[in-house]
Short mmCIF file of all heavy atoms in Angstrom, two decimals:
data_model
loop_
_atom_site.label_atom_id
_atom_site.label_comp_id
_atom_site.label_asym_id
_atom_site.label_seq_id
_atom_site.Cartn_x
_atom_site.Cartn_y
_atom_site.Cartn_z
N PHE A 991 5.07 20.42 -10.93
CA PHE A 991 6.17 20.90 -11.76
C PHE A 991 5.65 21.40 -13.11
O PHE A 991 6.10 22.43 -13.62
CB PHE A 991 7.20 19.79 -11.99
CG PHE A 991 8.00 19.44 -10.76
CD1 PHE A 991 8.25 18.11 -10.44
CD2 PHE A 991 8.51 20.42 -9.94
CE1 PHE A 991 8.98 17.77 -9.31
CE2 PHE A 991 9.23 20.10 -8.80
CZ PHE A 991 9.48 18.78 -8.48
N GLU A 992 4.69 20.66 -13.67
CA GLU A 992 4.10 21.10 -14.93
C GLU A 992 3.41 22.45 -14.77
O GLU A 992 3.52 23.34 -15.64
CB GLU A 992 3.09 20.04 -15.42
CG GLU A 992 2.54 20.33 -16.81
CD GLU A 992 1.60 19.23 -17.30
OE1 GLU A 992 1.51 18.18 -16.65
OE2 GLU A 992 0.96 19.46 -18.35
N LEU A 993 2.73 22.62 -13.65
CA LEU A 993 2.03 23.87 -13.40
C LEU A 993 3.01 25.01 -13.15
O LEU A 993 2.79 26.16 -13.58
CB LEU A 993 1.09 23.69 -12.20
CG LEU A 993 0.00 24.73 -11.95
CD1 LEU A 993 -0.76 25.08 -13.22
CD2 LEU A 993 -0.96 24.20 -10.88
N MET A 994 4.11 24.73 -12.46
CA MET A 994 5.13 25.75 -12.24
C MET A 994 5.77 26.17 -13.56
O MET A 994 6.00 27.36 -13.79
CB MET A 994 6.20 25.22 -11.28
CG MET A 994 5.75 25.15 -9.84
SD MET A 994 7.04 24.49 -8.74
CE MET A 994 6.10 24.37 -7.21
N ASN A 995 6.07 25.20 -14.41
CA ASN A 995 6.63 25.53 -15.72
C ASN A 995 5.67 26.38 -16.53
O ASN A 995 6.06 27.32 -17.22
CB ASN A 995 6.97 24.24 -16.49
CG ASN A 995 8.18 23.53 -15.92
OD1 ASN A 995 9.03 24.14 -15.28
ND2 ASN A 995 8.27 22.23 -16.16
N LEU A 996 4.39 26.05 -16.44
CA LEU A 996 3.37 26.81 -17.15
C LEU A 996 3.29 28.24 -16.61
O LEU A 996 3.18 29.21 -17.37
CB LEU A 996 2.02 26.11 -17.00
CG LEU A 996 0.90 26.49 -17.95
CD1 LEU A 996 1.26 26.11 -19.39
CD2 LEU A 996 -0.40 25.78 -17.55
N THR A 997 3.36 28.37 -15.29
CA THR A 997 3.32 29.69 -14.66
C THR A 997 4.53 30.53 -15.08
O THR A 997 4.40 31.71 -15.41
CB THR A 997 3.29 29.54 -13.13
OG1 THR A 997 2.16 28.75 -12.75
CG2 THR A 997 3.20 30.92 -12.47
N ARG A 998 5.70 29.90 -15.08
CA ARG A 998 6.90 30.62 -15.48
C ARG A 998 6.85 31.00 -16.96
O ARG A 998 7.34 32.07 -17.35
CB ARG A 998 8.14 29.80 -15.17
CG ARG A 998 8.36 29.56 -13.66
CD ARG A 998 9.69 28.94 -13.39
NE ARG A 998 10.77 29.88 -13.74
CZ ARG A 998 12.05 29.51 -13.83
NH1 ARG A 998 12.40 28.26 -13.62
NH2 ARG A 998 12.96 30.41 -14.14
N ARG A 999 6.24 30.15 -17.78
CA ARG A 999 6.06 30.50 -19.19
C ARG A 999 5.13 31.72 -19.30
O ARG A 999 5.38 32.63 -20.09
CB ARG A 999 5.45 29.31 -19.95
CG ARG A 999 5.10 29.63 -21.42
CD ARG A 999 6.28 30.13 -22.20
NE ARG A 999 5.89 30.61 -23.53
CZ ARG A 999 6.65 31.42 -24.27
NH1 ARG A 999 7.82 31.84 -23.85
NH2 ARG A 999 6.22 31.81 -25.46
N GLY A 1000 4.08 31.74 -18.46
CA GLY A 1000 3.18 32.89 -18.46
C GLY A 1000 3.90 34.17 -18.09
O GLY A 1000 3.67 35.23 -18.70
N LEU A 1001 4.78 34.10 -17.10
CA LEU A 1001 5.55 35.28 -16.70
C LEU A 1001 6.47 35.73 -17.84
O LEU A 1001 6.63 36.93 -18.09
CB LEU A 1001 6.37 34.97 -15.45
CG LEU A 1001 5.55 34.85 -14.16
CD1 LEU A 1001 6.35 34.15 -13.07
CD2 LEU A 1001 5.09 36.22 -13.66
N SER A 1002 7.07 34.76 -18.54
CA SER A 1002 7.93 35.10 -19.67
C SER A 1002 7.13 35.76 -20.80
O SER A 1002 7.59 36.76 -21.39
CB SER A 1002 8.60 33.82 -20.20
OG SER A 1002 9.39 34.09 -21.34
N VAL A 1003 5.95 35.24 -21.07
CA VAL A 1003 5.10 35.84 -22.11
C VAL A 1003 4.69 37.25 -21.70
O VAL A 1003 4.70 38.18 -22.52
CB VAL A 1003 3.85 34.97 -22.37
CG1 VAL A 1003 2.88 35.70 -23.29
CG2 VAL A 1003 4.26 33.64 -23.00
N LEU A 1004 4.33 37.44 -20.42
CA LEU A 1004 3.94 38.77 -19.96
C LEU A 1004 5.10 39.74 -20.10
O LEU A 1004 4.91 40.90 -20.49
CB LEU A 1004 3.48 38.71 -18.50
CG LEU A 1004 3.09 40.07 -17.90
CD1 LEU A 1004 1.95 40.71 -18.68
CD2 LEU A 1004 2.72 39.92 -16.43
N ASP A 1005 6.31 39.29 -19.82
CA ASP A 1005 7.48 40.14 -20.00
C ASP A 1005 7.60 40.58 -21.45
O ASP A 1005 7.89 41.74 -21.75
CB ASP A 1005 8.74 39.38 -19.56
CG ASP A 1005 9.96 40.29 -19.51
OD1 ASP A 1005 9.84 41.45 -19.10
OD2 ASP A 1005 11.05 39.82 -19.90
N GLU A 1006 7.33 39.65 -22.37
CA GLU A 1006 7.35 39.99 -23.81
C GLU A 1006 6.26 40.99 -24.15
O GLU A 1006 6.47 41.91 -24.95
CB GLU A 1006 7.19 38.72 -24.65
CG GLU A 1006 8.35 37.75 -24.58
CD GLU A 1006 8.10 36.53 -25.44
OE1 GLU A 1006 7.73 36.70 -26.61
OE2 GLU A 1006 8.28 35.40 -24.95
N VAL A 1007 5.08 40.80 -23.57
CA VAL A 1007 3.97 41.72 -23.83
C VAL A 1007 4.31 43.13 -23.35
O VAL A 1007 4.06 44.12 -24.03
CB VAL A 1007 2.67 41.22 -23.17
CG1 VAL A 1007 1.57 42.28 -23.27
CG2 VAL A 1007 2.19 39.92 -23.83
N LEU A 1008 4.91 43.21 -22.15
CA LEU A 1008 5.31 44.52 -21.62
C LEU A 1008 6.34 45.17 -22.53
O LEU A 1008 6.35 46.40 -22.72
CB LEU A 1008 5.87 44.35 -20.22
CG LEU A 1008 4.86 44.07 -19.10
CD1 LEU A 1008 5.57 43.61 -17.84
CD2 LEU A 1008 4.02 45.31 -18.81
N ALA A 1009 7.23 44.36 -23.11
CA ALA A 1009 8.29 44.90 -23.95
C ALA A 1009 7.79 45.30 -25.34
O ALA A 1009 8.24 46.31 -25.89
CB ALA A 1009 9.42 43.89 -24.07
N THR A 1010 6.87 44.52 -25.91
CA THR A 1010 6.49 44.71 -27.31
C THR A 1010 5.05 45.14 -27.52
O THR A 1010 4.71 45.65 -28.60
CB THR A 1010 6.70 43.40 -28.10
OG1 THR A 1010 5.77 42.41 -27.61
CG2 THR A 1010 8.12 42.88 -27.92
N GLN A 1011 4.18 44.90 -26.51
CA GLN A 1011 2.75 45.16 -26.61
C GLN A 1011 2.08 44.37 -27.74
O GLN A 1011 1.05 44.79 -28.27
CB GLN A 1011 2.46 46.65 -26.78
CG GLN A 1011 2.88 47.49 -25.58
CD GLN A 1011 2.04 48.73 -25.44
OE1 GLN A 1011 0.83 48.65 -25.24
NE2 GLN A 1011 2.67 49.88 -25.54
N GLU A 1012 2.64 43.24 -28.09
CA GLU A 1012 2.07 42.41 -29.15
C GLU A 1012 0.77 41.77 -28.67
O GLU A 1012 0.76 40.98 -27.74
CB GLU A 1012 3.04 41.31 -29.57
CG GLU A 1012 4.19 41.79 -30.41
CD GLU A 1012 5.03 40.64 -30.91
OE1 GLU A 1012 4.46 39.57 -31.22
OE2 GLU A 1012 6.26 40.81 -30.99
N ARG A 1013 -0.31 42.12 -29.31
CA ARG A 1013 -1.63 41.58 -28.94
C ARG A 1013 -1.71 40.07 -29.16
O ARG A 1013 -2.44 39.38 -28.45
CB ARG A 1013 -2.71 42.29 -29.75
CG ARG A 1013 -4.13 41.90 -29.41
CD ARG A 1013 -4.53 42.34 -28.02
NE ARG A 1013 -5.81 41.79 -27.63
CZ ARG A 1013 -6.35 41.92 -26.44
NH1 ARG A 1013 -5.71 42.61 -25.51
NH2 ARG A 1013 -7.51 41.39 -26.14
N THR A 1014 -0.94 39.56 -30.12
CA THR A 1014 -0.98 38.13 -30.41
C THR A 1014 -0.53 37.30 -29.21
O THR A 1014 -0.94 36.14 -29.06
CB THR A 1014 -0.10 37.80 -31.61
OG1 THR A 1014 1.23 38.28 -31.37
CG2 THR A 1014 -0.63 38.43 -32.88
N LYS A 1015 0.32 37.87 -28.36
CA LYS A 1015 0.81 37.14 -27.19
C LYS A 1015 -0.27 36.95 -26.12
O LYS A 1015 -0.18 36.06 -25.30
CB LYS A 1015 2.00 37.88 -26.58
CG LYS A 1015 3.25 37.91 -27.46
CD LYS A 1015 3.90 36.53 -27.52
CE LYS A 1015 5.17 36.57 -28.33
NZ LYS A 1015 5.81 35.25 -28.43
N VAL A 1016 -1.26 37.83 -26.13
CA VAL A 1016 -2.32 37.76 -25.13
C VAL A 1016 -3.08 36.44 -25.24
O VAL A 1016 -3.47 35.84 -24.23
CB VAL A 1016 -3.28 38.96 -25.25
CG1 VAL A 1016 -4.44 38.83 -24.29
CG2 VAL A 1016 -2.53 40.26 -25.00
N ALA A 1017 -3.28 35.95 -26.45
CA ALA A 1017 -3.97 34.68 -26.65
C ALA A 1017 -3.20 33.54 -26.00
O ALA A 1017 -3.81 32.60 -25.47
CB ALA A 1017 -4.14 34.41 -28.15
N GLU A 1018 -1.87 33.63 -26.01
CA GLU A 1018 -1.07 32.60 -25.34
C GLU A 1018 -1.27 32.64 -23.83
O GLU A 1018 -1.34 31.60 -23.18
CB GLU A 1018 0.40 32.76 -25.68
CG GLU A 1018 1.26 31.62 -25.17
CD GLU A 1018 2.71 31.68 -25.64
OE1 GLU A 1018 3.01 32.53 -26.50
OE2 GLU A 1018 3.52 30.89 -25.13
N LEU A 1019 -1.39 33.83 -23.26
CA LEU A 1019 -1.68 33.94 -21.83
C LEU A 1019 -3.03 33.33 -21.50
O LEU A 1019 -3.19 32.67 -20.45
CB LEU A 1019 -1.65 35.41 -21.40
CG LEU A 1019 -0.27 36.07 -21.30
CD1 LEU A 1019 -0.43 37.55 -21.01
CD2 LEU A 1019 0.57 35.40 -20.22
N GLU A 1020 -4.01 33.53 -22.36
CA GLU A 1020 -5.34 32.95 -22.14
C GLU A 1020 -5.29 31.43 -22.21
O GLU A 1020 -5.97 30.74 -21.44
CB GLU A 1020 -6.31 33.52 -23.16
CG GLU A 1020 -6.60 35.01 -22.96
CD GLU A 1020 -7.38 35.61 -24.10
OE1 GLU A 1020 -7.54 34.95 -25.15
OE2 GLU A 1020 -7.84 36.77 -23.96
N GLU A 1021 -4.48 30.89 -23.12
CA GLU A 1021 -4.35 29.44 -23.23
C GLU A 1021 -3.62 28.88 -22.01
O GLU A 1021 -3.96 27.79 -21.50
CB GLU A 1021 -3.56 29.07 -24.50
CG GLU A 1021 -3.27 27.59 -24.67
CD GLU A 1021 -4.51 26.71 -24.72
OE1 GLU A 1021 -5.62 27.24 -25.00
OE2 GLU A 1021 -4.38 25.51 -24.46
N ILE A 1022 -2.62 29.60 -21.51
CA ILE A 1022 -1.93 29.19 -20.28
C ILE A 1022 -2.90 29.17 -19.10
O ILE A 1022 -2.89 28.24 -18.28
CB ILE A 1022 -0.75 30.14 -19.99
CG1 ILE A 1022 0.38 29.86 -21.00
CG2 ILE A 1022 -0.24 30.00 -18.56
CD1 ILE A 1022 1.51 30.88 -20.96
N GLU A 1023 -3.76 30.17 -19.03
CA GLU A 1023 -4.77 30.21 -17.95
C GLU A 1023 -5.69 29.01 -18.04
O GLU A 1023 -6.00 28.39 -17.02
CB GLU A 1023 -5.55 31.51 -18.04
CG GLU A 1023 -6.47 31.78 -16.85
CD GLU A 1023 -7.79 31.06 -16.94
OE1 GLU A 1023 -8.29 30.89 -18.06
OE2 GLU A 1023 -8.33 30.64 -15.90
N ARG A 1024 -6.14 28.67 -19.25
CA ARG A 1024 -7.03 27.51 -19.43
C ARG A 1024 -6.34 26.21 -19.02
O ARG A 1024 -6.90 25.39 -18.31
CB ARG A 1024 -7.47 27.43 -20.90
CG ARG A 1024 -8.49 26.32 -21.16
CD ARG A 1024 -8.56 25.96 -22.63
NE ARG A 1024 -7.32 25.37 -23.11
CZ ARG A 1024 -6.95 24.10 -22.86
NH1 ARG A 1024 -7.71 23.31 -22.13
NH2 ARG A 1024 -5.80 23.63 -23.32
N LYS A 1025 -5.08 26.04 -19.46
CA LYS A 1025 -4.34 24.83 -19.14
C LYS A 1025 -4.06 24.73 -17.65
O LYS A 1025 -4.12 23.63 -17.06
CB LYS A 1025 -3.02 24.83 -19.92
CG LYS A 1025 -2.19 23.57 -19.75
CD LYS A 1025 -2.90 22.34 -20.27
CE LYS A 1025 -2.00 21.10 -20.18
NZ LYS A 1025 -2.69 19.86 -20.60
N SER A 1026 -3.77 25.85 -16.99
CA SER A 1026 -3.50 25.83 -15.56
C SER A 1026 -4.72 25.39 -14.77
O SER A 1026 -4.61 24.65 -13.78
CB SER A 1026 -3.02 27.20 -15.08
OG SER A 1026 -4.08 28.16 -15.08
N ASP A 1027 -5.89 25.81 -15.20
CA ASP A 1027 -7.12 25.40 -14.54
C ASP A 1027 -7.33 23.90 -14.68
O ASP A 1027 -7.72 23.21 -13.73
CB ASP A 1027 -8.31 26.15 -15.16
CG ASP A 1027 -9.61 25.86 -14.43
OD1 ASP A 1027 -9.68 26.11 -13.21
OD2 ASP A 1027 -10.56 25.39 -15.07
N GLU A 1028 -7.01 23.38 -15.85
CA GLU A 1028 -7.14 21.94 -16.11
C GLU A 1028 -6.19 21.13 -15.20
O GLU A 1028 -6.61 20.12 -14.61
CB GLU A 1028 -6.83 21.67 -17.58
CG GLU A 1028 -6.89 20.21 -18.00
CD GLU A 1028 -6.51 20.04 -19.46
OE1 GLU A 1028 -7.09 20.75 -20.31
OE2 GLU A 1028 -5.62 19.22 -19.74
N ILE A 1029 -4.94 21.56 -15.10
CA ILE A 1029 -3.98 20.84 -14.27
C ILE A 1029 -4.36 20.94 -12.80
O ILE A 1029 -4.24 19.98 -12.04
CB ILE A 1029 -2.56 21.39 -14.50
CG1 ILE A 1029 -2.13 21.16 -15.95
CG2 ILE A 1029 -1.56 20.73 -13.55
CD1 ILE A 1029 -0.81 21.82 -16.31
N ASN A 1030 -4.82 22.12 -12.39
CA ASN A 1030 -5.25 22.30 -11.00
C ASN A 1030 -6.34 21.30 -10.63
O ASN A 1030 -6.31 20.68 -9.56
CB ASN A 1030 -5.75 23.74 -10.79
CG ASN A 1030 -6.18 24.02 -9.36
OD1 ASN A 1030 -5.50 23.67 -8.42
ND2 ASN A 1030 -7.33 24.64 -9.22
N LEU A 1031 -7.30 21.11 -11.52
CA LEU A 1031 -8.37 20.14 -11.27
C LEU A 1031 -7.83 18.70 -11.24
O LEU A 1031 -8.31 17.87 -10.45
CB LEU A 1031 -9.45 20.28 -12.34
CG LEU A 1031 -10.29 21.55 -12.26
CD1 LEU A 1031 -11.25 21.63 -13.46
CD2 LEU A 1031 -11.09 21.60 -10.96
N GLN A 1032 -6.83 18.42 -12.06
CA GLN A 1032 -6.21 17.09 -12.02
C GLN A 1032 -5.55 16.84 -10.67
O GLN A 1032 -5.64 15.72 -10.13
CB GLN A 1032 -5.19 16.97 -13.15
CG GLN A 1032 -5.77 16.90 -14.54
CD GLN A 1032 -4.69 16.83 -15.60
OE1 GLN A 1032 -3.60 16.31 -15.36
NE2 GLN A 1032 -4.97 17.36 -16.78
N VAL A 1033 -4.90 17.86 -10.13
CA VAL A 1033 -4.27 17.72 -8.81
C VAL A 1033 -5.32 17.43 -7.75
O VAL A 1033 -5.17 16.51 -6.92
CB VAL A 1033 -3.48 19.00 -8.44
CG1 VAL A 1033 -3.03 18.95 -6.98
CG2 VAL A 1033 -2.28 19.17 -9.36
N PHE A 1034 -6.42 18.18 -7.77
CA PHE A 1034 -7.48 17.98 -6.78
C PHE A 1034 -8.08 16.59 -6.90
O PHE A 1034 -8.32 15.91 -5.89
CB PHE A 1034 -8.56 19.06 -6.95
CG PHE A 1034 -8.32 20.29 -6.14
CD1 PHE A 1034 -7.26 21.13 -6.42
CD2 PHE A 1034 -9.14 20.62 -5.08
CE1 PHE A 1034 -7.02 22.26 -5.66
CE2 PHE A 1034 -8.92 21.75 -4.31
CZ PHE A 1034 -7.85 22.58 -4.60
#
Side-chain angles (χ1 to χ4, degrees):
F991 289 137
E992 186 177 352
L993 195 47
M994 286 179 187
N995 288 336
L996 197 65
T997 303
R998 295 189 66 192
R999 175 57 189 161
L1001 288 163
S1002 177
V1003 172
L1004 178 60
D1005 189 39
E1006 292 180 50
V1007 172
L1008 286 166
T1010 66
Q1011 296 208 62
E1012 285 186 36
R1013 184 66 189 174
T1014 55
K1015 294 288 183 181
V1016 175
E1018 187 173 351
L1019 286 173
E1020 292 171 349
E1021 176 59 20
I1022 287 171
E1023 189 278 326
R1024 185 199 65 77
K1025 184 63 176 176
S1026 71
D1027 185 57
E1028 179 182 308
I1029 297 173
N1030 182 45
L1031 289 175
Q1032 290 178 29
V1033 170
F1034 270 67

